[in-house]
Amino acid sequence: MSERLHELDRPNSYIGKSVPRPNAVHLLQGRGRFVDDKVLPRMVHAAFVRSPHAHARIRGVDADEAKTLQGVIAVFTGEDMAAAIAPWSGVLTHLAGMRSPEQPALARDITRWQGEPVVMVVAQSRAIAEDAAALIEVDFDPLPEMCDMEGALDSDAVVIHPELGNNLCWERLVETGEVNAAFSDPANTVVDRTFTFGRHTGVTLEARACIADYDQAEEALTFHYSGQSPHMMQAILAKHLGFEEENVNVIAADVGGSFGIKIHTYGDEIATAAAAKLLRRPVKFAADRFESFVSDIHARDHRVKARLALGQDGRIAALEIDDLTGIGPYSVYPRSSGIEANQVLNLTGAPYDIPAYRGRARVVFQNKNVMCQYRAVGHPIANSVMEGLMDDAARQLAIDPAELRRRNLFADDAYPVTSVTGMKFADLSHHACLGKLLDMMDYEGLKSERDALRKKGIHRGIGIVSMVEVTNPSPMFYGVGGAPISAQDGATVRLDANGAVHVSSSITEQGQGTETILAQIAASAIGVDIAKVKVTTGDTRTTPYGGGTWASRGAGIGGEAMLLASRALKSQILEAAATVLQARPEALDIEAGNIVDTGGTKPRMSLAELGKLVYYRGNELPSDVRPELIATRHFRVTDYPFVFTNGAMASYVEVDIETGMVKLLGHWVVEDCGTVINKKLVDEQIRGGVVQGIGGALYEECLYSENGQLQNATMADYLVPMAGEMPDIEIAHIETPSCTSDLGAKGAGEAGTCGAPGAVMNAVNNALEPLDASVAQHPITPERLLRALSVID
C-alpha cells in the first residue's frame, strides 16, 4: 500500500490498475486520493466529446494527451460504458410492428447523428473536463447520410441500420367508413393540401442536468436530475446499471421547465450515473446550450398530405391524411418515437362528426437528432391540418369559417361518443366554447374592421380553430406497451403535532404550479389554511409511487389522489376528535384548522390540540382507540383511455406583404378543462402554451444541412418568441367536470400549444386570401411568406 500511495504523489500518474474496474476504464489521479481502493468522496464533473458527423464509423479514439491534463479523473469510450450499461430499445409492444435497434449510452463503432455522445471525460471541474475533451482525437470515417425523410424509404436510400433492411421504424393504417365513395362522389367538394412542419425543440430555461452519487456500502445510487418522472427514471437506472430498484433514489426538486423534453432517456445522463458507480464518487453533468440543441429531443418534423370531402350543405363526408415523420436514428426509450405520429392519426378531425376516415402514418429513421414527445404531442400537427382544411373548404363553399365548424362539431349533448378514429369522448363542449369565443373576440366586429382595412391596402386576417387535448391518460397509453411508466399517481397526507398538514405527491414541480394546486386541494378538503400545508414532491424515497408530470395529468390524476387522501385524513381526524369530544364524527367538521360542530364556526378544539393529544398523551385516550392521522391514496383513470379537454381559439394578425413579417394583434382562447381549481395558474399555463405554439408557427425550427449538420444551435440563430412580439392573450372558460373523478379536473397545460399554430396559420392565410396566396409550412417565415406571394423565387 505504501508503494501505491507513493505512486499517487506523482502528478497525473496512471493508476487504473490499482482499483478493480473494467480493464478499458482509464482512471487518472489528478488531485484525488485512494484509500484502501476507494476514492475519497468528492464531486467531479463530466463533459462529452460529441460526434461532428451525422453518420460516421469510429475507427479509433486517442485520449493520451487528455489523460495527462492535471485534474482529469477518467476517460470512458463507448466500449468502456458498454461493460457498465445495458443498452435499450425504444419500442412499445402495443404499437404493432414497431422496431428500433438497441441504443448504447455512448456511440460504439458507428455514430448516427451530429451531437451523439462518443467519449466521456470526468475531471475535477467542468472547465478541465471540457479542456480535456478538446484534446481527444477521434478518428472518424464519414459514411453517407440519410437526412431527408422524404427519401428514407426509397429503394436506393442509405439504410442507417442495415440489419433492419430499410429505414422504416413503424407504420400504422386506419380506415373507417366509405372513404373512396365520398371522394369520388361528384356532388361533394374536395379540398386538399400538403402541410409541412418544421422540426423544433423545447428551449427550457434550465438545461438538462444531473448529479449521481454511488454509495458502495449500500450498493445504492442517488440520482438528482432535472426531470419529470422520478419513478420512471428509478426503474430505468436500476435496469440498465444493474441495481435493485429499491436501491436507486431519484430526486427531482423544483425544475426550471421541461415541456416533455425531460421525460426521456439520455445517454449522457445514464453514463453520468455509470461513472459515479465506477468511480465511487459523485459525478455531475450539466448540458450547455449547444449540447441541448444537438442532444435534447426534437419534435414536429412531419409532412402531411391531407384531403377533405364535404357535401354541398357543408357537412363533412370523409377525411384522409398521410403522415410521414423522421425521428432520427433511434426510437427514444422508453416512450418511443411513434407516439407523435400515432397522435396525429388519432386526433386529426377529432372535434368533428366525420363518417369516413383513412389515415396512414410512417415513422422513418434518419441521420438527425432523435425526436420524441414534446409539449402537446402531435396535437399542433393534427389541429393545423384539420383546421387548415376547414378554412380551405369554407372559402370554396363560400361559408363563414365559424359557421362551417358549427355544422360539423359534435353536439354538446351527444356525449359519450366515439370519434371516427376510435377516440372515446365524454364531457366536451365544442359549441359552447366556440360561441363564447366569437362573443369574446367580437367576431363580427373584427371581420368588419378587417374588410375596411383591406380597402386601404392593410392585410389583416382572422383564424379560428376548434380543438381537443389529450389529458389524464390511463394505463392504455404506456403501461400496456411494457414501459415502466405509471398511469396512476399517489398522495400521502399527514397531520403533525402542531396542526400542520404535510402532503407528498408523485407529481413533480416543473414550474407549472403543481405544489400550489396540491396544497390548495388538501387545504380545502381538510379545512385548514393553505399556509399550514407543506408539500413534498420529486423524491422516490419519500413520495408515493406514480407517473410524475406529463400529458397534463397533474391536477386531474395527482390532484384527485390528493383529494381522496385528504378526505381520508379528515375522516381520521374527526373520528379521533369525536372520541375526545364525546360526539359523533358526522356531527363534527373542520374549519380554519379547528374542530367545530357541523354547520357551526365556534372552535371546540384546534387541530394542534388534537395532534398533541394523539402523539404525546395517548394515555388519555381509551385503550381501544388508536388514531391514525396519516392516509395514502392512489388514483388512475378507468373506463376511458384518456380524459379530453376541448376548446376554441382565434388569432388576429396583420401581414406586411413587402417584408413578409407577421404582426400578432390579438389572441383569444376559450377552454373547457373541467373544474378550474386555480384560475390564475390555469390561465398562465394556457398563455405559456399559446406562446410556445406561436413559436412553432412563426419562429422555431432546427435547420439542418443536407449532410445532417444543425445550422442554428445557438440562441442567436434559433428564434424563440419574445414578450415584445406577443399579443394580448385573452382567456375564458367553460367548466364541464370530468365524469372520471370526484374533482372533475381535466388537464390544461398543453391546449395553448395545440391550437395556436393552426389559428395563426389560418389568420395569415385569411389575410392573404385577397391576394390568392396561402402558406402551409411551419414556421411561416418572412421568406416563405414572400415566396407564397411570388415576391421572391
Coordinates of all heavy atoms in Angstrom, one line a residue, residues 247-291:
N247 N -32.8 0.3 -4.4 CA -31.5 0.9 -4.0 C -31.2 2.1 -4.9 O -30.1 2.6 -4.8 CB -30.4 -0.1 -4.1 CG -30.4 -1.2 -3.0 OD1 -31.1 -0.9 -2.0 ND2 -29.7 -2.2 -3.2
V248 N -32.2 2.5 -5.7 CA -32.0 3.7 -6.5 C -33.0 4.8 -6.0 O -34.2 4.5 -6.0 CB -32.2 3.4 -8.0 CG1 -32.1 4.7 -8.8 CG2 -31.2 2.4 -8.5
N249 N -32.5 5.9 -5.6 CA -33.3 7.0 -5.2 C -33.1 8.2 -6.2 O -32.0 8.6 -6.4 CB -32.9 7.5 -3.8 CG -33.8 8.6 -3.3 OD1 -35.0 8.7 -3.6 ND2 -33.2 9.5 -2.5
V250 N -34.2 8.6 -6.8 CA -34.2 9.6 -7.8 C -34.9 10.9 -7.2 O -36.0 10.8 -6.6 CB -34.9 9.2 -9.1 CG1 -34.9 10.4 -10.1 CG2 -34.2 8.0 -9.7
I251 N -34.2 12.0 -7.3 CA -34.7 13.2 -6.7 C -34.8 14.3 -7.8 O -33.8 14.6 -8.5 CB -33.8 13.7 -5.6 CG1 -33.7 12.7 -4.4 CG2 -34.3 15.1 -5.0 CD1 -32.7 13.0 -3.4
A252 N -36.0 14.8 -8.0 CA -36.2 15.9 -8.9 C -36.9 17.0 -8.1 O -38.1 17.0 -8.0 CB -37.1 15.5 -10.1
A253 N -36.1 18.0 -7.7 CA -36.6 19.1 -6.9 C -37.3 20.1 -7.9 O -37.6 19.7 -9.0 CB -35.5 19.8 -6.1
D254 N -37.5 21.4 -7.6 CA -38.1 22.3 -8.5 C -37.3 22.3 -9.8 O -36.0 22.6 -9.8 CB -38.1 23.7 -7.9 CG -39.1 23.8 -6.7 OD1 -39.8 22.8 -6.5 OD2 -39.0 24.8 -6.0
V255 N -37.9 22.1 -10.9 CA -37.3 22.0 -12.2 C -37.6 23.3 -13.0 O -38.8 23.7 -13.1 CB -37.7 20.7 -12.9 CG1 -37.1 20.7 -14.3 CG2 -37.3 19.5 -12.1
G256 N -36.6 23.8 -13.7 CA -36.8 25.0 -14.5 C -37.3 24.8 -15.9 O -36.7 25.1 -16.8
G257 N -38.5 24.2 -15.9 CA -39.2 24.0 -17.2 C -38.8 22.6 -17.8 O -37.6 22.2 -17.7
S258 N -39.7 22.0 -18.5 CA -39.5 20.7 -19.1 C -40.1 20.5 -20.5 O -39.4 20.1 -21.4 CB -40.0 19.6 -18.2 OG -39.2 19.5 -17.0
F259 N -41.4 20.8 -20.6 CA -42.1 20.7 -21.8 C -42.0 19.4 -22.5 O -42.1 19.3 -23.7 CB -41.6 21.8 -22.8 CG -41.4 23.2 -22.2 CD1 -40.3 23.9 -22.4 CD2 -42.5 23.7 -21.5 CE1 -40.1 25.1 -21.8 CE2 -42.3 25.0 -20.9 CZ -41.2 25.7 -21.1
G260 N -41.9 18.3 -21.7 CA -41.7 17.0 -22.3 C -40.3 16.6 -22.7 O -40.0 15.5 -22.9
I261 N -39.4 17.6 -22.7 CA -38.0 17.3 -23.1 C -37.4 16.4 -22.0 O -36.5 15.6 -22.4 CB -37.2 18.7 -23.2 CG1 -37.8 19.6 -24.3 CG2 -35.7 18.4 -23.4 CD1 -37.8 18.9 -25.6
K262 N -37.8 16.5 -20.8 CA -37.1 15.8 -19.7 C -37.8 14.6 -19.2 O -37.8 14.2 -18.0 CB -36.8 16.8 -18.6 CG -36.0 18.0 -19.0 CD -35.8 19.0 -17.9 CE -35.0 20.2 -18.4 NZ -34.9 21.3 -17.4
I263 N -38.5 13.9 -20.1 CA -39.1 12.6 -19.7 C -38.5 11.4 -20.5 O -39.1 10.3 -20.6 CB -40.6 12.6 -19.9 CG1 -41.0 13.0 -21.3 CG2 -41.3 13.4 -18.9 CD1 -42.5 12.8 -21.6
H264 N -37.3 11.6 -21.0 CA -36.7 10.6 -21.9 C -35.4 10.1 -21.4 O -34.8 10.7 -20.4 CB -36.5 11.2 -23.3 CG -37.8 11.8 -23.9 ND1 -38.9 11.1 -24.2 CD2 -38.1 13.1 -24.1 CE1 -39.9 11.9 -24.6 NE2 -39.4 13.1 -24.6
T265 N -34.9 9.1 -22.0 CA -33.6 8.5 -21.5 C -32.5 9.1 -22.4 O -32.5 9.0 -23.6 CB -33.6 7.0 -21.7 OG1 -34.7 6.5 -20.9 CG2 -32.3 6.4 -21.2
Y266 N -31.5 9.7 -21.8 CA -30.4 10.3 -22.5 C -29.1 9.6 -22.1 O -28.8 9.4 -21.0 CB -30.3 11.8 -22.1 CG -31.4 12.7 -22.7 CD1 -32.5 13.0 -21.9 CD2 -31.4 13.2 -24.0 CE1 -33.5 13.8 -22.4 CE2 -32.4 14.0 -24.5 CZ -33.5 14.2 -23.6 OH -34.5 15.0 -24.1
G267 N -28.3 9.3 -23.2 CA -27.1 8.5 -22.9 C -26.1 9.2 -22.0 O -25.5 8.6 -21.2
D268 N -26.0 10.6 -22.1 CA -25.1 11.3 -21.3 C -25.5 11.2 -19.8 O -24.6 11.2 -19.0 CB -24.9 12.7 -21.8 CG -26.2 13.5 -22.1 OD1 -27.2 13.1 -21.5 OD2 -26.2 14.4 -22.9
E269 N -26.8 11.2 -19.5 CA -27.2 11.1 -18.1 C -27.0 9.7 -17.6 O -26.6 9.6 -16.4 CB -28.7 11.5 -18.0 CG -28.9 13.0 -18.4 CD -30.4 13.4 -18.3 OE1 -31.3 12.5 -18.0 OE2 -30.7 14.6 -18.5
I270 N -27.3 8.7 -18.4 CA -27.1 7.3 -17.9 C -25.6 7.1 -17.7 O -25.1 6.4 -16.7 CB -27.7 6.3 -18.9 CG1 -29.2 6.6 -19.1 CG2 -27.5 4.9 -18.3 CD1 -30.0 6.6 -17.8
A271 N -24.8 7.6 -18.6 CA -23.3 7.5 -18.5 C -22.8 8.2 -17.2 O -21.9 7.7 -16.6 CB -22.6 8.1 -19.7
T272 N -23.4 9.3 -16.9 CA -23.0 10.0 -15.6 C -23.3 9.1 -14.4 O -22.4 9.0 -13.5 CB -23.8 11.3 -15.5 OG1 -23.5 12.2 -16.6 CG2 -23.5 12.1 -14.2
A273 N -24.4 8.5 -14.4 CA -24.7 7.6 -13.3 C -23.7 6.4 -13.3 O -23.3 6.0 -12.2 CB -26.2 7.1 -13.4
A274 N -23.4 5.9 -14.4 CA -22.5 4.7 -14.5 C -21.1 5.2 -14.0 O -20.4 4.4 -13.3 CB -22.4 4.2 -15.9
A275 N -20.7 6.4 -14.4 CA -19.4 6.9 -14.0 C -19.3 7.0 -12.4 O -18.3 6.7 -11.8 CB -19.1 8.2 -14.6
A276 N -20.4 7.4 -11.8 CA -20.4 7.5 -10.4 C -20.2 6.2 -9.7 O -19.5 6.0 -8.7 CB -21.7 8.2 -9.9
K277 N -20.8 5.2 -10.3 CA -20.7 3.8 -9.8 C -19.3 3.3 -10.0 O -18.7 2.7 -9.1 CB -21.7 2.9 -10.5 CG -21.7 1.5 -10.0 CD -22.7 0.6 -10.7 CE -22.8 -0.8 -10.2 NZ -23.7 -1.7 -10.9
L278 N -18.7 3.5 -11.1 CA -17.4 3.1 -11.4 C -16.3 3.8 -10.6 O -15.4 3.2 -10.1 CB -17.1 3.2 -12.9 CG -17.8 2.3 -13.9 CD1 -17.6 2.8 -15.3 CD2 -17.5 0.9 -13.7
L279 N -16.5 5.1 -10.4 CA -15.5 5.9 -9.7 C -15.8 6.0 -8.2 O -14.9 6.5 -7.5 CB -15.5 7.3 -10.3 CG -15.1 7.4 -11.8 CD1 -15.2 8.8 -12.3 CD2 -13.7 6.8 -12.0
R280 N -17.0 5.6 -7.8 CA -17.3 5.6 -6.4 C -17.3 7.0 -5.8 O -16.8 7.2 -4.7 CB -16.4 4.7 -5.5 CG -16.4 3.2 -6.1 CD -15.4 2.4 -5.3 NE -15.1 1.2 -6.0 CZ -14.2 0.3 -5.6 NH1 -13.4 0.6 -4.5 NH2 -14.0 -0.8 -6.2
R281 N -17.8 7.9 -6.6 CA -17.8 9.3 -6.1 C -18.9 10.1 -6.9 O -19.3 9.7 -8.0 CB -16.5 10.0 -6.2 CG -15.9 10.1 -7.6 CD -14.4 10.4 -7.7 NE -14.1 11.7 -7.0 CZ -12.8 12.1 -6.9 NH1 -11.8 11.4 -7.4 NH2 -12.6 13.2 -6.3
P282 N -19.4 11.2 -6.4 CA -20.4 11.9 -7.1 C -19.9 12.5 -8.4 O -18.8 13.0 -8.5 CB -20.8 13.1 -6.1 CG -20.3 12.6 -4.8 CD -19.1 11.8 -5.1
V283 N -20.7 12.4 -9.4 CA -20.4 12.9 -10.8 C -21.6 13.8 -11.2 O -22.7 13.4 -11.1 CB -20.2 11.8 -11.8 CG1 -19.8 12.4 -13.1 CG2 -19.1 10.9 -11.3
K284 N -21.2 15.0 -11.7 CA -22.2 16.0 -12.2 C -22.0 16.2 -13.7 O -20.9 16.3 -14.2 CB -22.0 17.3 -11.4 CG -23.0 18.4 -11.9 CD -22.7 19.7 -11.1 CE -23.7 20.8 -11.6 NZ -23.5 22.1 -10.9
F285 N -23.2 16.3 -14.3 CA -23.2 16.7 -15.7 C -24.3 17.7 -15.9 O -25.5 17.6 -15.4 CB -23.5 15.5 -16.7 CG -23.8 16.0 -18.1 CD1 -22.9 16.6 -18.9 CD2 -25.1 15.8 -18.6 CE1 -23.2 17.0 -20.2 CE2 -25.5 16.2 -19.9 CZ -24.5 16.8 -20.6
A286 N -24.0 18.8 -16.6 CA -25.0 19.8 -16.9 C -24.7 20.2 -18.4 O -23.6 20.6 -18.8 CB -24.8 21.1 -16.0
A287 N -25.8 20.0 -19.2 CA -25.6 20.4 -20.6 C -25.5 21.9 -20.8 O -26.3 22.6 -20.2 CB -26.8 19.8 -21.4
D288 N -24.7 22.3 -21.7 CA -24.7 23.7 -22.1 C -25.7 23.9 -23.2 O -26.3 22.9 -23.7 CB -23.3 24.2 -22.5 CG -22.7 23.5 -23.7 OD1 -23.4 23.0 -24.6 OD2 -21.4 23.4 -23.7
R289 N -25.9 25.1 -23.6 CA -27.0 25.4 -24.6 C -26.7 24.7 -25.9 O -27.6 24.2 -26.6 CB -27.2 26.9 -24.7 CG -28.5 27.2 -25.5 CD -29.7 26.7 -24.8 NE -30.0 27.3 -23.5 CZ -31.1 27.0 -22.8 NH1 -31.9 26.1 -23.1 NH2 -31.3 27.6 -21.6
F290 N -25.5 24.7 -26.4 CA -25.2 24.0 -27.6 C -25.5 22.5 -27.5 O -26.1 21.9 -28.4 CB -23.7 24.2 -28.0 CG -23.3 23.4 -29.2 CD1 -23.7 23.8 -30.5 CD2 -22.6 22.2 -29.1 CE1 -23.3 23.1 -31.6 CE2 -22.3 21.5 -30.2 CZ -22.6 21.9 -31.5
E291 N -25.1 21.9 -26.4 CA -25.4 20.5 -26.2 C -26.9 20.2 -26.2 O -27.4 19.2 -26.7 CB -24.7 20.0 -24.9 CG -23.2 19.8 -25.0 CD -22.7 19.3 -23.6 OE1 -22.9 20.0 -22.6 OE2 -22.1 18.2 -23.6

